[in-house]
Amino acid sequence: MTAPARAAATRRGTGRIPSTPARWVRGLCAFLLLLTPTACSSEAIGLSFSTPRVLKVGVTPRPDGEILAHVDKAVAPALGFELDPVRFTDAAAAKEALRDKLIDVAFVRNDPEAAALGQVMPGRGLAFVAPVFVEPLAVYSSTIARVSDLEEGGEVLIPSESAKAGRALRLLAAHGVVRLREGAGTQATVRDVTANPKHVRITEVPAEEMPRGYDDAVAAVVDVSTAQRTGLTAAGGKVLVLEPADGNAYVNGLFVRAGDEDDPQVSKLAELLRSPSVKAFIEDTYDHTIMPAS
């Protein structure tokens, strides 16, 4: 067809028009904008040009970041689920970024002060929505086989860090070594000990220094990952009792801003992090130094 013929055919309405949807929509929008500036919104013409939302997730490097990286690489792509991990040095920094709306969700440890999982934290504007794993404390010893075998006046090391010290004392109290003041809670200290039947000497030391004093002590209370990293287990330490994962207030999981608890993408992330695949990854990778939350 010659150029004049094509021009005539176009004037008669029989010529070809652009076939791609984007070019057609741009033409329609240009026409509608002559009528009213708002006529070309996606709602007005029934079309959406928005891209899927990428979920920004705040994490600390290990193990939260490693678990999220596994989900991001091995699980999420098959579902068309996009994650943007944002690393922070500690949980407090991630939570602050969440409050400031710099991220959408934080995958970090739950606050020990929270009375129950899922409770909105007064004055902080955050809510804990999904437990994922626990880094348990354990009582180690290379000289006794049971906690009940502790001898009169024996020395037990506990972490000097305030949060872990309270957990350690509660673990000892749960197995009858000491009794704590009623209401001492998660922030218990040695001053809250009201009974010590065997007059056990409780010594607070930094967790990283546990191996130095371990040879002179009967037992030590420390988290499993620190025990392995510092060589305490290599020094012959055996686990006598382990802090339970069920109902543990120190569980690591997902935080959102209060009001976002039902965000569908956060719910999907929670589902993935609590899936059998991720639970198997945790068990295989960390050799029981952390445990999936129930």
Side-chain angles (χ1 to χ4, degrees), residues 20 23 36 54 65 68-70 80 86 91 96 156 212-213 220 224 242 263 292:
T20 60
R23 293 176 64 187
T36 171
V54 177
L68 188 70
H70 167 73
V86 182
E96 192 62 33
V156 177
R212 297 183 186 178
V224 180
L242 193 66
D263 184 315

Side-chain angles (χ1 to χ4, degrees), residues 29-283:
C29 284
F31 173 73
L32 291 175
L33 282 171
L34 295 176
L35 304 178
T36 171
T38 60
C40 199
S41 68
S42 59
E43 293 80 8
I45 62 177
L47 296 174
S48 174
F49 300 98
S50 62
T51 57
R53 173 187 170 206
V54 177
L55 199 66
K56 290 187 176 182
V57 187
V59 291
T60 51
R62 190 178 192 275
D64 314 70
E66 294 174 346
I67 295 171
L68 188 70
H70 167 73
V71 171
D72 189 29
K73 294 177 182 177
V75 183
L79 303 176
F81 192 55
E82 293 189 69
L83 301 174
D84 179 13
V86 182
R87 292 179 178 267
F88 294 89
T89 55
D90 54 49
K95 292 172 187 175
E96 192 62 33
L98 180 59
R99 294 188 192 97
D100 292 340
K101 299 184 178 180
L102 300 177
I103 56 176
D104 302 305
V105 58
F107 176 25
V108 292
R109 196 180 72 185
N110 188 31
D111 280 357
E113 294 83 5
L117 300 182
Q119 178 184 5
V120 175
M121 296 183 293
R124 296 188 177 184
L126 300 184
F128 189 73
V129 295
V132 178
F133 70 89
V134 172
E135 295 184 82
L137 293 185
V139 178
Y140 285 86
S141 179
S142 57
T143 59
I144 58 175
R146 296 179 299 274
V147 173
S148 58
D149 294 337
L150 277 169
E151 298 177 353
E152 185 82 16
E155 184 180 27
V156 177
L157 307 180
I158 68 171
S160 57
E161 297 87 349
S162 58
K164 288 184 178 179
R167 290 171 66 184
L169 289 169
R170 286 164 61 86
L171 183 58
L172 293 174
H175 292 273
V177 178
V178 297
R179 186 180 304 124
L180 298 177
R181 175 182 58 80
E182 185 176 354
T186 57
Q187 301 301 304
T189 70
V190 290
R191 292 187 295 274
D192 293 308
V193 174
T194 59
N196 186 347
K198 293 187 177 181
H199 302 96
V200 171
R201 291 180 292 120
I202 299 175
T203 304
E204 296 184 354
V205 298
E208 299 294 331
E209 297 180 12
M210 286 278 183
R212 297 183 186 178
Y214 181 66
D215 290 340
D216 297 325
V218 179
V221 185
V222 67
D223 62 274
V224 180
S225 58
T226 298
Q228 291 194 347
R229 186 177 67 253
T230 59
L232 192 148
T233 50
K238 304 293 185 183
V239 174
L240 306 186
V241 293
L242 193 66
E243 191 179 35
D246 293 347
N248 195 309
Y250 296 87
V251 65
N252 288 52
L254 299 182
F255 280 91
V256 296
R257 289 180 291 275
D260 291 344
E261 293 91 333
D262 297 324
D263 184 315
Q265 286 189 286
V266 173
S267 298
K268 173 56 70 175
L269 177 60
E271 182 181 345
L272 294 179
L273 287 170
R274 291 171 53 82
S275 67
S277 169
V278 173
K279 288 182 178 181
F281 171 79
I282 289 173
E283 292 169 348

